[in-house]
Amino acid sequence: MRGRTGRAAAVCAALGVLWWATVRLAWAGVGCEDWGCLVPAVGVVVVISLVLLAGAVYALERVAVRPGRRVALTAAGVLIVFRLAGESLPSWPSSLADAAVAGAAFAVAGALAAFVTEVGVSRRMRAAIAFAVVALLPVALAAALTRHGF
């Protein structure tokens, strides 16, 4: 079980850094300076994300993390929660820090996804992990409200 989780974390970390780099390049290429280009720019980010999700399925299968589709979809769900919760965090000026955070977030999401999709994991453990991940949202909201006021 540990090897499977580690392999999933490594694959997802690499994909996270790749996602960050491609989104950064695409966003710079669009050169969005006003609201008119927001829809195409976000569309490009969505397309990049979907292509990398499909690539994650293939990459996870190649490193014997099966079923790759279920692990990749679970990791994507965790990443959505992480992204929403991350809105409450302050931004940092270093783009290398952004790349490291993207890699770490993808790695944790991949590891959690590989763990909860493992055959021997009990329903109680899966539910506890799902509750903990979803609980990040109200905690992040409370942190944002505390920092910025009501």
Side-chain angles (χ1 to χ4, degrees):
M1 186 179 335
R2 285 188 183 138
R4 180 178 188 267
T5 304
R7 290 189 308 273
V11 165
C12 289
L15 289 172
V17 174
L18 179 63
W19 176 86
W20 172 83
T22 55
V23 165
R24 185 174 163 101
L25 287 172
W27 199 264
V30 170
C32 192
E33 297 296 328
D34 61 5
W35 289 102
C37 67
L38 188 60
V39 172
V42 171
V44 169
V45 171
V46 169
V47 168
I48 289 169
S49 300
L50 291 175
V51 167
L52 282 176
L53 177 64
V57 172
Y58 176 75
L60 289 166
E61 290 280 342
R62 295 285 294 164
V63 296
V65 178
R66 293 182 179 90
R69 183 174 12 149
R70 194 164 77 169
V71 174
L73 289 173
T74 304
V78 172
L79 283 167
I80 289 170
V81 172
F82 284 175
R83 178 66 184 122
L84 293 172
E87 286 298 317
S88 68
L89 298 175
S91 61
W92 27 69
S94 170
S95 60
L96 292 178
D98 287 335
V101 168
F106 274 70
V108 170
L112 280 174
F115 180 76
V116 300
T117 57
E118 183 69 41
V119 174
V121 177
S122 69
R123 285 183 187 233
R124 183 174 291 167
M125 180 61 76
R126 288 181 183 151
I129 290 171
F131 178 76
V133 168
V134 172
L136 289 174
L137 294 174
V139 169
L141 178 62
L145 289 174
T146 302
R147 185 173 54 247
H148 298 295
F150 291 101

